[in-house]
Amino acid sequence: NGTLNKVLEKARKKASEKLKDWHFSMKKSSPEEYCKIQYNRFKKIGNYKYTTLRGENVRNYLEKEVADLLFNQNLDYKYEPCIKIGEKCVFPDFALGNLVIESTAWKGPDKAIKLKEKIGFLEQLGFEVIVIVPFELNHFYLPIKANIKTVSELESYLIARVAQTKPGPLLLLLTS
């Protein structure tokens, strides 16, 4: 007579309300812990397909290229570190001191819009942000054009940063 379906639907709604309450409560009381929990859940389904020279698993060929470049230059980078921005956290692809590197091969303008917001937050905290995009996808990333480099441009940039006369964050990483 439909009683079971009514009970199940009521239970689903109650569970959904409880889960929403948990999310709201965790975001307010422990935003960094909340972000890490959510990020770990995301990582489990993240489909890490490539292995770098350093032995870590990354999501795509572009992340692998960047990781291998950083590794070959003996730079001590962090892969997908948690960076707290106010009450939220972001997980950029790579961080070296105050330099953040995002690598993306997404097709379509939506990713650029999200990255522009993320870049703005990170720059307000004093980070320098570089976005690595395959040349053929540059047209999708016009809103963040100033931050875009290719992998070879990144390599030249890193060499120049390390060779600079005044110690920068990368030089400090190399000598510490």
Side-chain angles (χ1 to χ4, degrees):
N1 66 4
T3 305
L4 178 62
N5 286 338
K6 289 178 188 174
V7 170
L8 287 175
E9 184 58 31
K10 186 176 178 182
R12 274 191 218 110
K13 285 182 181 179
K14 187 69 172 173
S16 177
E17 289 171 15
K18 288 273 188 193
L19 188 57
K20 286 178 188 174
D21 290 345
W22 177 85
H23 282 279
F24 181 80
S25 171
M26 283 296 290
K27 284 180 186 178
K28 288 292 180 194
S29 65
S30 305
E32 195 167 346
E33 181 184 352
Y34 172 78
C35 285
K36 287 180 180 178
I37 289 169
Q38 292 298 93
Y39 183 68
N40 284 331
R41 288 178 180 164
F42 175 70
K43 280 183 88 164
K44 287 179 182 173
I45 60 169
N47 203 12
Y48 292 79
K49 300 180 208 175
Y50 298 87
T51 303
T52 67
L53 294 174
R54 191 164 91 169
E56 62 207 341
N57 294 323
V58 295
R59 297 175 193 278
N60 59 51
Y61 74 94
L62 206 51
E63 287 185 359
K64 179 182 174 4
E65 278 188 69
V66 172
D68 290 346
L69 169 68
L70 299 173
F71 179 80
N72 283 332
Q73 291 196 14
N74 295 317
L75 295 172
D76 185 24
Y77 66 89
K78 291 182 174 68
Y79 178 66
E80 295 186 337
C82 176
I83 297 176
K84 189 173 179 190
I85 301 172
E87 291 188 3
K88 68 188 257 187
C89 297
V90 295
F91 298 87
D93 294 330
F94 303 94
L96 301 93
N98 74 335
L99 177 64
V100 166
I101 303 170
E102 288 283 350
S103 13
T104 182
W106 284 70
K107 296 176 183 168
D110 294 345
K111 182 72 171 184
I113 294 165
K114 290 178 185 175
L115 275 175
K116 186 173 182 169
E117 181 181 345
K118 189 176 186 180
I119 289 167
F121 286 132
L122 289 165
E123 287 177 341
Q124 285 177 3
L125 291 175
F127 287 94
E128 178 182 359
V129 182
I130 293 175
V131 180
I132 307 299
V133 177
F135 180 78
E136 64 274 9
L137 300 182
N138 277 355
H139 63 282
F140 290 121
Y141 293 88
L142 293 177
I144 57 168
K145 185 178 181 182
N147 298 81
I148 293 178
K149 293 192 184 306
T150 63
V151 174
S152 60
E153 289 171 331
L154 174 64
E155 182 174 22
S156 300
Y157 176 81
L158 292 172
I159 291 169
R161 288 272 313 255
V162 171
Q164 67 189 2
T165 55
K166 62 180 185 177
L170 294 179
L171 185 57
L172 293 174
L173 282 170
L174 285 173
T175 58
S176 59

